Amino acid sequence: MAKSKFEYVKQFETEDKLLPNCWIVVRIDGKGFHRFAETHNYIKPNDERALDLMSKSAETVMEEFKDIVISYGQSDEYSFVFRKATNAYNRRASKLATNVVSLFASSFVFNWPRYFGTTMMQYPPAFDSRTVLYPSDKNLRDYLSWRQADCHINNLYNTCFWKLIQEKNLTPAQSQERLKGTMSSDKNELLFKEFEINYNNLPALHRKGTILVRTPKTSMENGDLDLSLQLQHTGSARGQRSRSTLSNKRSSRPNIERLHVDIIGEQFWSDYPDILNPK
């Protein structure tokens, strides 16, 4: 850049470099997505087209930023975890947050027709972003557990809320009043007694959200036999991978696996030890 007498203005930029040796989490969140979902006729309580589009956008971010070791998404939010030692953008908080959210948003718009067909986007969606540091592995796991617990709480409420509206013909206000003050056990009982629904049998995508992890390229080059053997381990995280990963197992693009499993307990972290302890 050529020097000029105006260059002094650079001195007004503030230093926002993040502390070293900490996990960096960039979380993006849809702005006013209740209105966006209503305007674009999202299916209630869960629109799998929208959830798949969110995950596709998150995969685009992970393909660009190789230092992201795990991502977690639910509803209209996604969290991206950068490895402790990352030096992406010299660990500048503003650079990380803005680059992640802008790429996510552009991917969301770019891929909209793939998931919503001829449904035209009525106005541009917006996402905000924030950058948070977590110094220990426990802090990071607790953060991810918090987001998954939030997914469960919201989905259980929304499932009850919309069932009362769609099948009992309650108004939104009546449904809200019916659920006011109820505990999780009350909502589970309501679903079972009034709608013959066992909440635990609902899609794991809706109950647990989506976890994106990287898998070695060799795992997608060993053919269907290797994949079928992995799928036999139904009790493990690897046994419940998304169909989208299997259909793209021979893709030349980075292999990013979608999981809809529990990340609060120990099983997931045993299955994917490299996330916290990269080789």
Side-chain angles (χ1 to χ4, degrees), residues 2-250:
K3 292 184 177 296
S4 74
K5 65 179 181 180
F6 307 112
E7 193 173 0
Y8 78 93
V9 297
K10 290 175 61 179
Q11 300 173 21
F12 289 89
E13 293 185 15
T14 58
E15 177 66 34
D16 62 350
K17 188 173 182 178
L18 297 166
L19 290 172
N21 200 35
C22 292
W23 297 102
I24 298 175
V25 175
V26 177
R27 185 166 85 243
I28 65 94
D29 201 358
K31 179 180 181 295
F33 254 59
H34 287 295
R35 172 174 167 251
F36 186 86
E38 183 176 346
T39 301
H40 294 91
N41 298 313
Y42 275 25
I43 298 168
K44 302 294 185 179
N46 294 289
D47 193 318
E48 295 201 7
R49 300 170 303 172
L51 295 173
D52 285 345
L53 175 56
M54 289 287 294
S55 291
K56 173 61 179 175
S57 303
E59 288 168 356
T60 301
V61 173
M62 287 187 71
E63 288 165 6
E64 176 67 21
F65 295 95
K66 303 302 188 292
D67 279 356
I68 295 174
V69 294
I70 183 174
S71 302
Y72 176 77
Q74 56 135 331
S75 186
D76 63 342
E77 73 169 54
Y78 244 100
S79 296
F80 301 94
V81 180
F82 286 77
R83 65 189 182 93
K84 279 187 173 183
T86 185
N87 199 37
Y89 293 109
N90 204 25
R91 296 180 73 92
R92 290 183 59 185
S94 57
K95 284 281 192 177
L96 287 167
T98 55
N99 274 275
V100 166
V101 74
S102 62
L103 180 57
F104 187 97
S106 62
S107 178
F108 187 94
V109 173
F110 180 81
N111 288 294
W112 175 269
R114 179 187 298 187
Y115 296 91
F116 282 84
T118 58
T119 300
M120 296 293 293
M121 192 173 281
Q122 299 301 305
Y123 63 89
F127 297 85
D128 66 43
S129 66
R130 69 206 72 183
T131 306
V132 186
L133 290 178
Y134 294 100
S136 71
D137 294 353
K138 182 181 185 303
N139 293 151
L140 177 65
R141 284 188 55 177
D142 285 349
Y143 168 79
L144 293 170
S145 296
W146 170 49
R147 299 321 303 145
Q148 189 167 68
D150 185 74
C151 174
H152 160 70
I153 293 169
N154 289 337
N155 185 64
L156 179 57
Y157 180 91
N158 289 333
T159 300
C160 294
F161 180 83
W162 286 103
K163 277 293 179 183
L164 290 170
I165 292 173
Q166 294 166 350
E167 298 189 22
K168 296 294 184 179
N169 297 318
L170 269 63
T171 65
Q174 290 171 332
S175 183
Q176 184 177 18
E177 184 63 28
R178 173 76 184 277
L179 296 173
K180 185 177 180 180
T182 57
M183 306 294 288
S184 292
S185 57
D186 301 320
K187 297 181 183 72
N188 275 291
E189 185 176 5
L190 182 151
L191 289 175
F192 189 76
K193 286 189 173 180
E194 299 198 26
F195 303 101
E196 298 183 347
I197 292 175
N198 183 332
Y199 180 76
N200 291 327
N201 292 335
L202 294 178
L205 166 63
H206 304 161
R207 294 182 290 111
K208 298 182 182 296
T210 300
I211 305 126
L212 302 180
V213 294
R214 301 183 190 277
T215 55
K217 287 186 177 181
T218 53
S219 69
M220 63 179 177
E221 294 170 352
N222 289 335
D224 293 338
L225 177 61
D226 180 56
L227 287 165
S228 64
L229 288 173
Q230 291 179 14
L231 285 172
Q232 291 176 14
H233 301 290
T234 55
S236 69
R238 293 182 186 276
Q240 300 181 44
R241 66 181 62 196
S242 169
R243 292 180 181 274
S244 65
T245 301
L246 299 181
S247 64
N248 293 318
K249 59 183 176 293
R250 291 191 176 90

